[in-house]
Amino acid sequence: MNLARLLKARADAGRPVRVGLIGAGKFGSMFLSQLRTTPGLHLLGIADLSVPRARAALEATGWDAEAVVASSFTEALGTGRTMLTDDAAALIAADGLDVVVEVTGSPAAGAAHALLAIEHGRHIVMVTVEADVLVGPLLAERARKAGVVYSMAYGDQPALVCEMVDWARTCGFNVVCAGKGTKYLPSFHRSTPDTIWSLYGLTPEQAAQGGMNAQMFNSFADGTKSSIEMAAIANAAGLTAPSDGLLFPPCGVDDLATILRPRAAGGILEHSGTVETVSSLERDGRPVFRDLRWGVYVVFEADPSPRGDYARRCFKEYGVVTDASGRYTALYRPYHLIGLELGVSVASAALRHEPTGVTEAFNADVVAVAKCPLRAGETLDGEGGFTVWGKLFPAATSLAKGGLPIGLAHHVTLTRDIPEGEIVGWADVEVKDSPAVRLRREMERSFAGSPASAAAE
């Protein structure tokens, strides 16, 4: 609760937190819009494959590009201006940089940038959650050993959910379920970049005006992004994944504590301590009453023994919405502001040396599943594409099935036909050696047998 004060002190002392942004797309632009108005932060540089796009992002978010763009990192450091480059490695190595914000959306690039940041002693805010789910436990461990912070991105749903889980546990409550809302129907698993904008009620022109990437937004609709985000939460918050993927139950905020409780208590959960995504649509397409499409939640309970009666009476006395038994209740946040809130992570990493959520174990994983009948010789196109969607599994199940991580289902060729709905395995594709593949295999060897992962089996 004192980050703004700490930032102001840094601003007053002339020692702002120097930030490097890698990726100037929609999320990065949202961060830029607020970084400009946050005392104590200095945008040292932006790295993007397209320097003109980085300049355009500055201009679109209220910056005077002509006045702030520097000709070198040395000038940027000395004058408080911003260097634009297409060389992410040069930005990470720039003198004076404190925090790297990774927003490329590419799992391989995200992992590579994180490792380079660790090598140079920079804190990392990992917006590219796909990289975190692919190799996050390994990146977090290396960051800890190097004495730098590796952090989830505040404003994105995983970090916000982890904050709510931490709140519940700090208050002495047992976390029953945690997750987010989304717009979902089973048919959405077959959605492609060609059909996505109708699901959002947008025209392609409106989407282009908003700087929205069709494949990225399609990963939200087809279930991939929800699976990735729930895996990140499970791995960071010590929760488990459902045994056969997310259920996406239709559920409004008033019913969270009733629906998201264990089956033994009348709910839908296999057990307590899991993650789940709720849908804003009934299965027939009708809107859910008081839906949580844009929000996050945690379902919790007081001490379930008779000694918890006092706390449960307090729930009733203070108007807390519970299930019929009075045992389960929920806290929710109706919105998340994505990149507009990212400065919280940057400030927390630089000033408190604390992450806003960090991967602790390999409890959950996301594997590629065929969206349609696929043929040998076809090339997979990754998250949100035309060929596969990502399904959440316990990590032990993913490893036992030999499932291909969704983060590696890019530009790999199938060696056999895959029916619609079937898992794509490592053995079903030609996987070339790469740093990302080696990191993933190392992560599996290092973390598959960890106590937290074993507890999730």
Side-chain angles (χ1 to χ4, degrees):
M1 295 183 184
N2 61 355
L3 287 176
R5 179 181 61 81
L6 294 175
L7 281 173
K8 183 178 183 301
R10 289 287 291 262
D12 292 344
R15 296 188 306 109
V17 175
R18 295 189 171 93
V19 185
L21 175 66
I22 305 177
K26 180 64 173 177
F27 200 116
S29 294
M30 295 180 79
F31 175 49
L32 289 176
S33 72
Q34 298 309 111
L35 191 156
R36 180 178 57 81
T37 59
T38 306
L41 295 183
H42 168 206
L43 180 63
L44 184 67
I46 304 175
D48 193 277
L49 295 176
S50 170
V51 171
R53 182 168 72 162
R55 181 181 288 269
L58 284 175
E59 293 171 347
T61 54
W63 297 70
D64 182 349
E66 293 302 318
V68 304
V69 172
S71 59
S72 68
F73 285 114
T74 300
E75 179 189 347
L77 181 63
T79 63
R81 294 182 180 179
T82 301
M83 176 64 183
L84 306 185
T85 180
D86 60 4
D87 187 346
L91 172 59
I92 293 169
D95 287 344
L97 185 67
D98 296 308
V99 182
V100 172
V101 178
E102 214 296 334
V103 204
T104 63
S106 165
H113 293 150
L115 290 175
L116 192 58
I118 292 167
E119 180 182 330
H120 284 277
R122 317 305 191 199
H123 303 303
I124 310 105
V125 176
M126 181 57 77
V127 179
T128 304
V129 67
E130 295 85 353
D132 188 70
V133 170
L134 183 67
V135 293
L138 189 64
L139 296 177
E141 181 183 68
R142 292 191 181 182
R144 281 191 292 269
K145 289 180 178 179
V148 297
V149 173
Y150 173 83
S151 177
M152 288 179 167
Y154 201 84
D156 222 356
Q157 287 153 313
L160 298 180
V161 172
C162 286
E163 179 183 54
M164 298 179 85
V165 169
D166 185 68
W167 167 87
R169 289 173 175 161
T170 303
C171 293
F173 297 123
N174 177 51
V175 174
V176 176
C177 190
K180 69 165 197 168
T182 195
K183 182 179 180 180
Y184 170 86
L185 289 174
S187 61
F188 289 4
H189 289 310
R190 295 188 293 274
S191 175
T192 73
D194 286 345
T195 63
I196 181 58
W197 299 129
S198 63
L199 298 182
Y200 280 90
L202 297 172
T203 66
E205 293 74 22
Q206 288 171 324
Q209 186 177 16
M212 300 176 180
N213 178 285
Q215 185 157 343
M216 182 188 72
F217 274 80
N218 192 51
S219 72
F220 297 138
D222 70 8
T224 301
K225 198 71 168 184
S226 291
S227 293
I228 288 172
E229 291 180 334
M230 294 305 101
I233 294 165
N235 291 338
L239 299 172
T240 63
S243 63
D244 191 32
L246 296 170
L247 298 176
F248 295 98
C251 183
V253 297
D254 300 318
D255 297 320
L256 289 167
T258 298
I259 293 175
L260 299 175
R261 55 183 175 167
R263 290 172 186 164
I268 66 164
L269 304 181
E270 294 171 306
H271 53 76
S272 183
T274 187
V275 293
E276 187 57 77
T277 297
V278 297
S279 176
S280 64
L281 296 177
E282 302 286 356
R283 289 297 190 258
D284 61 6
R286 291 178 297 113
V288 166
F289 178 66
R290 283 172 46 81
D291 68 81
L292 195 64
R293 177 180 174 184
W294 306 107
V296 294
Y297 73 88
V298 60
V299 175
F300 58 95
E301 61 176 341
D303 179 356
S305 76
R307 290 180 294 179
D309 286 347
Y310 183 87
R312 286 187 287 276
R313 285 199 303 272
C314 290
F315 288 166
K316 184 175 182 180
E317 291 166 356
Y318 286 87
V320 175
V321 176
T322 68
D323 72 323
S325 73
R327 174 175 175 178
Y328 300 97
T329 187
L331 194 71
Y332 65 90
R333 175 176 166 169
Y335 307 109
H336 67 296
L337 301 183
I338 313 96
L340 301 181
E341 300 181 76
L342 187 60
V344 173
S345 290
V346 173
S348 182
L351 303 177
R352 288 182 180 158
H353 297 274
E354 289 184 355
T356 49
V358 62
T359 304
E360 298 285 353
F362 184 36
N363 289 345
D365 197 17
V366 183
V367 303
V369 173
K371 281 188 174 181
C372 58
L374 301 175
R375 299 287 177 257
E378 284 191 65
T379 299
L380 303 184
D381 56 357
E383 304 99 314
F386 293 86
T387 57
V388 293
W389 64 279
K391 185 173 180 178
L392 179 70
F393 283 106
T397 302
S398 169
L399 295 180
K401 291 178 178 290
L404 180 69
I406 190 67
L408 294 178
H410 299 252
H411 310 300
V412 291
T413 303
L414 289 171
T415 58
R416 74 172 180 94
D417 295 349
I418 306 287
E420 180 179 350
E422 185 172 316
I423 290 173
V424 179
W426 285 91
D428 301 324
V429 296
E430 296 177 356
V431 179
K432 296 179 180 179
D433 182 53
S434 69
V437 169
R438 291 195 296 272
L439 279 173
R440 169 66 188 205
R441 288 307 203 187
E442 180 182 350
M443 191 275 290
E444 291 176 354
R445 291 191 299 270
S446 300
F447 290 90
S450 67
S453 186
E457 293 183 22

